[in-house]
């Protein structure tokens, strides 16, 4: 079946689908939400499919899709909600005052699997920029920008569009684009968030991989002495949807042995998330045996130590998004030991 332009419905579906991952990455950077990004891309695809016969080819299909996706995102951002991390909203809480108070889902910056937002590329430099631009700290910084500045910064600095191309997409002037980019850069510079520049190699270098191996051993063994040696003295731990966040290895390990003591005996499964190393955490399931989902962990590394680890606890949403099972069986040796 043809749409009247000589392109069949099947051909158009294939052509649109080729852009899904990069569009999802763009919408995710714009919106800060995994699920809203996927909704925005689906809306973009539907709008493109319905109006394709009006597409006159004056720009590339890719540029046209980005124009649609930008308009979808700007419409979604009119409510003014800026997603954030716990440390963007309050001061850290001393362990002695720690309390688990949840905030609504739309408060939080959400995690995203790499394979849903990072297109395959043979260019190492392009891949590195793409990964850096979905890391949590950079994503949180983006959320502080007005929506059009956000779009300009992403298109110019992340996707390397020319100022003239961005101006055409946004129906504005090159001078306006350059001004918006300058203001966006100034805002990000004012934040001076060291975690934006977290030193994570791609792929992980040998020392970083060893650090992760030691982290898994320490966490699964719930060895707080070993864990302390891996944490930077100013390391940060967050647990959305709770607004509590902790800083310093003493408070972090103290929390894990008190309010977080139920995590003892957990198992960690590696995941690639937000351009960073991460793990799906399963804790022991006393009712069914084996392990039940507890958190998607995102780790930040700098100077050979862990500077941040972030536990996203809404497992009914995150584990299916990452294609993770909702139950792990006990390992054979544990079954024999009656664990």
């Amino acid at each position: 079946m043809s749409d009247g332009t000589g392109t069949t419905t099947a051909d158009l579906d294939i052509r649109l689908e080729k852009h899904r991952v990069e569009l999802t990455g763009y919408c995710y950077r714009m919106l800060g939400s995994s699920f809203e990004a996927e909704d925005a891309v689906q809306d973009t695809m539907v709008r493109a499919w319905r109006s394709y016969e009006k597409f006159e080819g004056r720009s590339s299909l890719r540029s046209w899709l980005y124009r649609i996706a930008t308009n979808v995102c700007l419409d979604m951002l009119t409510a003014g909600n800026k997603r954030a991390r716990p440390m963007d909203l309050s001061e850290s809480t001393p362990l002695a005052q720690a309390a688990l108070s949840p905030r609504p889902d739309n408060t939080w910056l959400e995690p995203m699997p790499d394979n849903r937002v990072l297109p395959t590329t043979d260019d190492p430099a392009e891949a590195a920029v793409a990964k850096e631009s979905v890391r949590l700290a950079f994503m949180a910084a983006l959320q502080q920008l007005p929506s059009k500045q956000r779009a300009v910064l992403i298109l110019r600095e992340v996707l390397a569009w020319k100022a003239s191309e961005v101006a055409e997409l946004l129906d504005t002037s090159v001078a306006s684009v350059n001004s918006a980019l300058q203001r966006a850069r100034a805002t990000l510079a004012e934040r001076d968030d060291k975690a934006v520049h977290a030193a994570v190699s791609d792929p992980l270098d040998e020392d970083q991989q060893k650090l992760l191996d030691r982290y898994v051993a320490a966490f699964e063994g719930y060895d707080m002495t070993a864990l302390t040696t891996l944490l930077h003295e100013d390391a940060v731990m967050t647990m959305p949807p709770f607004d509590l966040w902790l800083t310093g290895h003493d408070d972090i390990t103290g929390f894990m042995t008190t309010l977080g003591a139920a995590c003892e005996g957990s198992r960690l499964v590696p995941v690639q998330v937000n351009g960073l190393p991460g793990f799906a955490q399963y804790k022991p399931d006393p009712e069914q045996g084996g392990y039940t989902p507890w958190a998607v962990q995102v780790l930040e590394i700098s100077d050979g130590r862990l500077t941040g680890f972030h536990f996203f606890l809404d497992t009914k949403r995150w584990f299916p998004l990452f294609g993770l099972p909702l139950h792990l069986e006990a390992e054979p040796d544990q079954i024999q030991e009656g664990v």
Side-chain angles (χ1 to χ4, degrees):
M1 180 179 175
S2 172
D3 63 0
T5 64
T7 300
T8 66
T9 300
D11 288 342
L12 181 57
D13 286 344
I14 291 170
R15 292 181 67 196
L16 294 177
E17 200 62 32
K18 286 180 180 177
H19 299 281
R20 181 176 291 274
V21 173
E22 64 170 313
L23 286 172
T24 304
Y26 175 61
C27 293
Y28 176 59
R29 295 178 184 99
M30 284 291 291
L31 301 170
S33 163
S34 319
F35 297 103
E36 286 184 2
E38 298 204 326
D39 288 347
V41 172
Q42 193 58 35
D43 191 0
T44 298
M45 296 297 190
V46 169
R47 292 189 192 190
W49 198 90
R50 287 176 176 170
S51 59
Y52 185 72
E53 61 184 22
K54 299 176 185 176
F55 174 55
E56 299 174 354
R58 286 179 295 185
S59 63
S60 68
L61 177 64
R62 179 174 182 258
S63 297
W64 184 60
L65 288 171
Y66 269 93
R67 176 189 286 268
I68 298 172
T70 299
N71 288 332
V72 170
C73 289
L74 292 177
D75 287 345
M76 293 175 73
L77 288 167
T78 54
N81 181 50
K82 295 181 179 180
R83 289 177 177 267
R85 303 168 300 169
M87 64 276 279
D88 300 319
L89 302 178
S90 65
E91 297 297 322
S92 64
T93 305
L95 177 60
Q97 300 170 20
L100 298 177
S101 304
R103 294 201 191 190
D105 289 341
N106 64 2
T107 305
W108 305 116
L109 183 65
E110 297 179 345
M112 184 64 121
D114 284 0
N115 61 7
R116 288 181 180 257
V117 292
L118 299 178
T120 303
T121 177
D122 295 326
D123 184 340
E126 184 180 318
V129 169
K131 279 198 168 188
E132 288 171 7
S133 68
V134 294
R135 289 179 182 163
L136 293 175
F138 185 81
M139 288 286 299
L142 283 178
Q143 303 306 301
Q144 302 306 308
L145 299 175
S147 54
K148 287 197 175 179
Q149 284 185 31
R150 201 180 307 178
V152 167
L153 184 84
I154 296 166
L155 290 165
R156 291 282 284 119
E157 304 253 298
V158 177
L159 301 176
W161 284 40
K162 296 176 182 177
S164 58
E165 294 171 328
V166 177
E168 183 179 353
L169 182 145
L170 294 174
D171 291 323
T172 189
S173 67
V174 169
S176 177
V177 167
N178 288 336
S179 176
L181 179 59
Q182 188 174 20
R183 293 197 303 273
R185 285 172 171 167
T187 299
L188 295 192
E190 285 173 9
R191 287 177 62 89
D192 192 28
D193 196 331
K194 294 181 181 179
V196 174
H197 309 290
V200 180
S201 302
D202 182 26
L204 296 177
D205 64 32
E206 184 178 356
D207 288 342
Q208 290 169 349
Q209 188 56 60
K210 286 181 179 178
L211 177 65
L212 289 183
D213 292 342
R214 291 167 62 199
Y215 171 74
V216 171
F219 195 95
E220 291 189 341
Y222 232 59
D223 183 339
M224 295 301 116
T225 301
L227 185 61
T228 297
T229 66
L230 308 180
L231 297 177
H232 191 278
E233 62 182 9
D234 296 325
V236 167
M237 179 172 130
T238 68
M239 292 162 284
F242 301 116
D243 56 13
L244 169 73
W245 65 282
L246 301 165
T247 183
H249 43 62
D250 289 343
D251 277 3
I252 290 171
T253 56
F255 177 88
M256 291 176 67
T257 53
T258 53
L259 290 175
C263 289
E264 184 170 358
S266 290
R267 292 292 173 264
L268 301 182
V269 176
V271 294
Q272 297 298 315
V273 50
N274 285 85
L276 293 163
F279 296 94
Q281 178 191 342
Y282 292 82
K283 69 175 186 176
D285 186 339
E287 296 180 3
Q288 299 182 50
Y291 301 91
T292 189
W294 182 245
V296 170
Q297 301 183 6
V298 185
L299 306 185
E300 294 170 325
I301 300 172
S302 186
D303 298 327
R305 293 197 176 188
L306 295 171
T307 54
F309 57 138
H310 309 285
F311 295 71
F312 292 91
L313 303 181
D314 192 352
T315 53
K316 289 183 180 178
R317 301 172 76 214
W318 304 134
F319 276 53
L321 182 71
F322 282 79
L324 294 162
L326 294 177
H327 185 77
L328 282 186
E329 297 298 333
E331 297 168 10
D333 58 336
Q334 294 175 318
I335 294 173
Q336 292 167 7
E337 293 170 9
V339 175

